[in-house]
Amino acid sequence: MHEEQAEKAREAQRYWTPERIRAAVPVDASHSGKADTQSPPGPGSRRKRSLANEPSRQVPEGIATVGVFLIRATDGSATPDQFCTASAVASPSKSLVITAAHCLKGDRRHRDFAFVPGYRTGASTAGQAGEAPYGIFPVQEDKIWVDSRYRASTPDDDVDFAFLNVGPNTRGQLLEDAVGRGNELTSVSTAKLARKAVSLVGYPGGQKTPLQCTNDTTAFQDRFMEIKCDGFRTGVSGGPFLENFDGRRGDLVGVIGGYKTGGLFDHASYTSQFDEDVFRLYRQAATGKPSEPEPGTGTSMGTAGTWTHARAMTTGRFHTSSVRNNVSDLIVRWSDGELSLYPGDGAYGFGKDIQLVKDKAWQQAAVITAGDFTGDASDDLLVRWTDGRLTLFKDVNETKKLTDKVELKGPNDTWTHASTMAAGRFGGGNTRSDDLMVTWTDGEVTLYTNVDAKGLHAERQLVKPPDTTWPHARDVSAGDFRPGTGDQDLFVRWSDGEVTAYENIATEVFGHEHRLMPAKSPWRDALLTTVGAFGGPTRQNDLVALWPGGKLTLHPDTTSTSVAAERVLVSP
């Protein structure tokens, strides 16, 4: 152990004496409606649709992976020593802790933050370990990860969780070396928020003896998990929801927080859904990446003011790392003729933009799409210009950029009427994304299969003109919304807000339709949409949408039945 770490451990132990820990008050007492007493809830308590309350039992011997998260307030509070509940999370660093983000809301100071696993009040007797049987683990400076959406002026209760990296204790032990393996972070889908035999653990204010309760959970608002357990008053925030709990550890499916910062009454507790959001934050913490900055203030995606100038978007595998990892990137054409590449990070986020070109001539790029037309590693960019030209930029990446181009068609009157283009694997007997579907201003829809650097070959008319429906198609993209299929689906956003996906368009034309959003949905207000695989080498079913005011959203893991909930990339 480095001397600096050793001194931090000694400082934490000197400050957090047994007396101070016992006297610490719940950090959420000031803004939670949960009672801080031992009394049962009064007649004003709400009765929700859920299972009957389960009694909770005290665990005076403590639980190895669960403990108190201690916070020394430096804002002049009359009760500067505060606490929440937290738990150890299995990680390569052996040093990660999870708690509720609201325990840290508005507080970026890291002085005298500490985690005491297995804490037990007054359990020290001859021959036994004391109140902190595994020691005190100081939180490392600048090693707290909170989703930027929770740090916003109006916190997003879908992401009420935070990860903290703790240093070793005074014995030089890492957290998981002291307590054993941490709890295993576990994904929870929206369809499985109702679960059997989930154990809830938390430290209520007062005596600080951990409470444990096991009950079935129910879904609440289709985005929170609810559990009925008695006696979970202030102080329990951040306490784990555990499946397969063996008395020391289990599978971590939530932490007390989310709806009303965990609930207004001590007989009902909640957690934000543990979906990809928590895993993205976990990956940042596990790899030591900096926590996200405030939304719209210098993130890798820029500001809302910038995004009001976006005029076209498409996705493909361009960056060298994206090709290697089979992750989608985002290409954006701006009003001033700049073209930017945003590399996907495989965790539903993007790296810093790379300028591919800045030339006023690109203001005439009317329609862009990306596909694998040449079969050479990076995807290719296909551009339809305002004068009808059709240009293929081969193997675009961060170094080659747009240097290798092929003019497929010179200026002409026909292609000036091409409204949208989508490159994909639509059933042309190919393994690459080299089919091209085009919609025209008169409603005609054409499919060109196996397009390559020599041009367009086999042409098939899918919809004859004139047609009154297809002129209302605003955005088209290739997607993959159904698991286990070979060819891709065609994603269409219509002018009236309907969003649909068509499967097997080469064989069934548009007969097999899936409605993701109905007509008159809010999607009629979207300005641009596209589809990619931004969460790693999985299906291409993540939507990116640009909205008025420069808001940019990502809708991960969308299915053939509905559009997934938004994740804000750029706040308006």
Side-chain angles (χ1 to χ4, degrees):
M1 179 169 59
H2 296 300
E3 179 54 34
E4 183 179 352
Q5 290 181 322
E7 181 54 30
K8 290 290 185 184
R10 290 192 291 267
E11 284 179 8
Q13 188 153 303
R14 280 195 297 268
Y15 183 80
W16 291 109
T17 62
E19 292 75 23
R20 279 200 173 106
I21 298 175
R22 288 189 212 119
V25 300
V27 72
D28 54 358
S30 61
H31 56 82
S32 170
K34 288 197 175 191
D36 190 20
T37 68
Q38 300 274 5
S39 59
S45 300
R46 293 170 292 171
R47 303 295 179 186
K48 299 187 179 67
R49 65 188 196 288
S50 115
L51 303 172
N53 293 7
E54 283 292 320
S56 303
R57 69 176 185 89
Q58 292 188 345
V59 188
E61 67 274 17
I63 296 170
T65 59
V66 185
V68 289
F69 168 49
L70 301 169
I71 301 170
R72 182 186 179 188
T74 57
D75 57 1
S77 171
T79 53
D81 298 331
Q82 302 172 0
F83 79 96
C84 273
T85 302
S87 58
V89 183
S91 73
S93 70
K94 298 184 177 182
S95 301
L96 277 192
V97 172
I98 190 170
T99 189
H102 72 260
C103 293
L104 296 158
K105 177 60 180 158
D107 194 338
R108 299 193 176 197
R109 298 173 295 279
H110 307 303
R111 182 184 176 193
D112 297 323
F113 283 14
F115 176 57
V116 186
Y119 179 77
R120 51 199 187 185
T121 302
S124 179
T125 60
Q128 289 186 331
E131 297 182 10
Y134 305 102
I136 297 175
F137 296 80
V139 175
Q140 294 186 304
E141 291 187 9
D142 301 319
K143 296 293 184 181
I144 292 179
W145 286 266
V146 177
D147 193 296
S148 61
R149 289 167 292 172
Y150 202 84
R151 293 195 187 279
S153 56
T154 302
D156 185 344
D157 54 13
D158 282 327
V159 288
D160 190 3
F161 36 71
F163 291 96
L164 310 96
N165 195 304
V166 296
N169 60 17
T170 55
R171 297 191 286 273
Q173 294 174 303
L174 297 177
L175 176 60
E176 289 187 72
D177 288 335
V179 305
R181 184 164 178 78
N183 299 300
E184 198 70 39
L185 193 64
T186 303
S187 177
V188 177
S189 67
T190 302
K192 295 184 178 179
L193 287 166
R195 306 174 83 87
K196 297 291 186 182
V198 173
S199 293
L200 189 68
V201 181
Y203 283 81
Q207 189 181 356
K208 291 194 193 64
T209 296
L211 283 183
Q212 178 190 334
C213 164
T214 301
N215 199 359
D216 296 347
T217 66
T218 56
F220 184 70
Q221 296 183 353
D222 289 328
R223 59 193 183 101
F224 303 109
M225 189 186 296
E226 177 189 43
I227 191 168
K228 289 295 184 112
C229 286
D230 282 333
F232 277 75
R233 56 191 184 274
T234 52
V236 300
S237 287
F241 285 62
L242 297 167
E243 284 187 326
N244 305 313
F245 181 55
D246 65 5
R248 292 179 64 87
R249 64 187 53 78
D251 297 328
L252 185 67
V253 295
V255 295
I256 298 175
Y259 175 72
K260 303 295 185 182
T261 61
L264 293 177
F265 302 99
D266 64 6
H267 66 286
S269 298
Y270 302 84
T271 175
S272 301
Q273 181 182 344
F274 270 21
D275 53 13
E276 181 55 33
D277 286 327
V278 76
F279 279 90
R280 177 179 51 81
L281 200 64
Y282 170 82
R283 286 191 289 267
Q284 287 182 349
T287 57
K289 289 184 178 179
S291 188
E292 297 174 304
E294 298 289 344
T297 57
T299 68
S300 60
M301 300 301 286
T303 64
T306 298
W307 281 88
T308 60
H309 298 285
R311 295 295 180 265
M313 296 193 306
T314 191
T315 62
R317 295 175 300 122
F318 302 106
H319 196 278
T320 304
S321 62
S322 300
V323 173
R324 182 174 60 249
N325 298 321
N326 198 22
V327 170
S328 294
D329 306 319
L330 184 67
I331 282 185
V332 182
R333 199 270 287 177
W334 306 94
S335 60
D336 62 356
E338 183 176 0
L339 197 71
S340 298
L341 168 66
Y342 290 87
D345 64 4
Y348 302 102
F350 297 88
K352 182 174 173 54
D353 64 298
I354 298 167
Q355 186 184 87
L356 297 177
V357 68
K358 189 170 185 179
D359 185 340
K360 287 187 177 180
W362 274 83
Q363 293 175 324
Q364 307 306 312
V367 185
I368 62 175
T369 189
D372 186 10
F373 302 113
T374 61
D376 299 327
S378 301
D379 276 350
D380 314 299
L381 188 67
L382 186 64
V383 180
R384 195 275 286 176
W385 305 87
T386 54
D387 62 0
R389 285 180 298 129
L390 202 61
T391 307
L392 180 67
F393 294 88
K394 298 166 61 177
D395 303 330
V396 177
N397 62 31
E398 71 276 16
T399 54
K400 189 176 180 180
K401 298 187 177 179
L402 304 170
T403 56
D404 191 355
K405 70 177 182 178
V406 179
E407 293 291 347
L408 299 184
K409 289 187 179 295
N412 64 90
D413 290 335
T414 300
W415 279 81
T416 60
H417 297 286
S419 301
T420 69
M421 301 191 303
R425 195 175 58 252
F426 295 128
N430 52 352
T431 57
R432 303 200 309 265
S433 297
D434 59 3
D435 298 327
L436 181 69
M437 201 212 76
V438 182
T439 68
W440 306 86
T441 54
D442 61 359
E444 182 180 4
V445 181
T446 308
L447 178 66
Y448 300 89
T449 56
N450 301 313
V451 176
D452 57 27
K454 294 181 181 179
L456 311 178
H457 307 297
E459 175 183 348
R460 180 183 172 193
Q461 189 180 69
L462 301 183
V463 177
K464 295 180 180 180
D467 179 80
T468 58
T469 299
W470 281 92
H472 294 284
R474 291 293 175 263
D475 300 304
V476 295
S477 299
D480 186 9
F481 305 105
R482 299 163 297 121
T485 57
D487 293 333
Q488 291 179 294
D489 308 311
L490 182 73
F491 168 90
V492 184
R493 182 183 69 86
W494 303 90
S495 60
D496 64 355
E498 183 175 349
V499 178
T500 55
Y502 297 94
E503 60 177 279
N504 302 326
I505 65 171
T507 56
E508 299 186 39
V509 190
F510 298 109
H512 208 150
E513 175 183 349
H514 300 275
R515 180 176 294 179
L516 281 63
M517 294 294 290
K520 299 183 181 180
S521 81
W523 283 75
R524 61 185 170 185
D525 297 325
L527 303 176
L528 300 170
T529 57
T530 190
V531 184
F534 301 113
T538 54
R539 304 203 314 275
Q540 186 158 316
N541 61 346
D542 309 314
L543 308 185
V544 172
L546 178 66
W547 305 85
K551 180 181 178 181
L552 190 70
T553 61
L554 188 145
H555 304 257
D557 303 320
T558 291
T559 68
S560 59
T561 58
S562 64
V563 174
E566 72 176 31
R567 184 177 297 172
V568 178
L569 297 175
V570 177
S571 296

